[in-house]
Amino acid sequence: MADAIYVGGLLVATPLLDDPNFRRSVVLVLEHDEDGGTLGVVLNRPSDITVTQVLPVWDPLVTGPSVLFEGGPVQTDSALALAVVLSGEEPLGWRRLHSGRPAVSRLGTVDLDAPPEILAGEISQMRIFAGYAGWTSGQLENEVAEGAWYVVDSEPGDTFHPDPSTLWRSVLRRQPGELALVATFPDDPGQN
């Protein structure tokens, strides 16, 4: 388990968090500044809206499932894309996440106003998120202290997990000690 919130790290909703926007969610931290707050995207909420319906020019570059993901409850009418580059270079239209962690060294955001052809041969994986999750300065730290979130390290496959519905359990299962047991927590404890 990670000790502190960091860019490229994960926030995993604890079973206590029952906010429908974040229940059993896994959030990738994209920006974190103790004075300015935190921004991230929910990785495991695919929507029913296909990329072709909203951003058809980007559909050929999207890693399946080829749908928009619900990135969070803030600015849901805007889109944000994440992509992994093939090389260590920073191609035009792509900006690296500023993290010293190897798991996200080739992960960055995509400028969706750029022509997709510029990035077509440069990226290996890509997903598009509608909206994002945001916290003001100190807000997320308070939520972590109250037991709403686990802060854990990310692994390279987390952002583009092939089955988003299993990501919450997968991330928890690989954690050391008792935290791995949380993965077995029933969806509805009342049914236990």
Side-chain angles (χ1 to χ4, degrees):
M1 197 158 116
D3 295 330
I5 300 163
Y6 67 92
V7 172
L10 297 177
L11 305 171
V12 180
T14 72
L16 300 175
L17 184 58
D18 61 358
D19 176 335
N21 292 307
F22 296 111
R23 186 176 183 282
R24 295 209 172 205
S25 65
V26 177
V27 176
L28 176 69
V29 176
L30 302 179
E31 294 178 14
H32 178 68
D33 179 336
E34 292 183 15
D35 298 325
T38 306
L39 181 142
V41 289
V42 177
L43 298 176
N44 58 334
R45 293 269 195 283
S47 75
D48 294 330
I49 301 167
T50 65
V51 172
T52 306
Q53 289 174 277
V54 217
L55 295 163
V57 296
W58 288 101
D59 188 61
L61 300 179
V62 170
T63 304
S66 187
V67 296
L68 285 181
F69 278 68
E70 296 171 11
V74 182
Q75 292 188 358
T76 56
D77 58 346
S78 66
L80 178 149
L82 294 175
V84 172
V85 291
L86 294 166
S87 69
E89 304 297 313
E90 285 201 30
L92 206 56
W94 180 87
R95 187 178 62 108
R96 182 181 318 278
L97 288 186
H98 294 290
S99 172
R101 309 285 174 133
V104 292
S105 64
R106 294 185 178 194
L107 181 64
T109 57
V110 172
D111 177 1
L112 292 171
D113 290 328
E117 308 81 57
I118 293 175
L119 288 165
E122 303 287 339
I123 61 174
S124 61
Q125 296 176 299
M126 179 174 154
R127 282 211 172 136
I128 301 176
F129 301 85
Y132 63 89
W135 294 266
T136 58
S137 179
Q139 181 183 6
L140 180 57
E141 289 82 356
N142 289 339
E143 290 182 17
V144 170
E146 291 168 358
W149 298 99
Y150 301 118
V151 181
V152 302
D153 292 328
S154 62
E155 290 188 359
D158 292 339
T159 303
F160 304 99
H161 197 277
D163 183 0
S165 69
T166 64
L167 183 61
W168 186 82
R169 288 189 196 282
S170 296
V171 170
L172 287 171
R173 209 174 280 128
R174 72 175 185 238
Q175 300 308 311
E178 293 181 13
L179 191 52
L181 294 175
V182 177
T184 63
F185 198 83
D187 287 336
D188 181 358
Q191 298 293 318
N192 200 5

